[in-house]
Every structure is written in structure tokens, then in C-alpha cells.
Amino acid sequence: MNFRTPLTHGYLIKRYKRFLADIRLDNGRIVTAHCTNPGSMKSCVDVYISESAGSHRRTKYTWEMIKINDDW
């Protein structure tokens, strides 16, 4: 897959308000990312997020990839 910006690895901390997720990055920083899937995602732990340069967004990051059962 090709993405416009480099992806950053992190771990899901929690989901809330249907489309938001708190992600702990590998460097320890916690960010809020937009998640386009409103489902439960309880089995998701490893995630990759991208950073958006758009100032019109409520969140700076977008959840791009998840790891489920050892598959991305």
C-alpha cells in the first residue's frame, strides 16, 4: 500500500465517541487519531497512523492500519 505521508506505529489505548482513539506512540507520546471504522475493534492493539497537514481537521492523525490475528 502507498500512503501520502509516512506512517507512525503505536498501540491502541482506548476508543471513544465512535470515531476517536487514543494511541500511544513508540516514543511514549499519546495522540488522538480519527478512526473511520465505528466498530468495536476490541481485538486491535498494534496500529499505524498518519499525520495530516490539514488545519480544517479536528484531529491531526488518522488511523490507517490495524493488526488483527497477526495480519495487517
Side-chain angles (χ1 to χ4, degrees):
M1 275 185 133
N2 294 322
F3 293 93
R4 292 181 190 171
T5 60
L7 299 183
T8 303
H9 181 258
Y11 299 94
L12 175 64
I13 297 173
K14 68 177 178 176
R15 289 273 313 273
Y16 53 96
K17 293 187 180 179
R18 238 176 127 197
F19 294 103
L20 298 178
D22 284 345
I23 308 292
R24 176 176 284 117
L25 304 180
D26 289 342
N27 65 9
R29 190 169 144 226
I30 296 174
V31 298
T32 300
H34 178 262
C35 178
T36 58
N37 186 333
S40 167
M41 313 280 251
K42 288 181 182 177
S43 63
C44 303
V45 178
D46 286 319
V47 300
Y48 275 96
I49 60 175
S50 65
E51 188 172 348
S52 174
S55 60
H56 63 283
R57 294 178 45 125
R58 290 176 54 192
T59 60
K60 186 175 181 178
Y61 299 94
T62 300
W63 182 342
E64 300 286 0
M65 296 175 59
I66 59 175
K67 187 174 189 179
I68 300 175
N69 299 327
D70 294 327
D71 289 321
W72 288 99

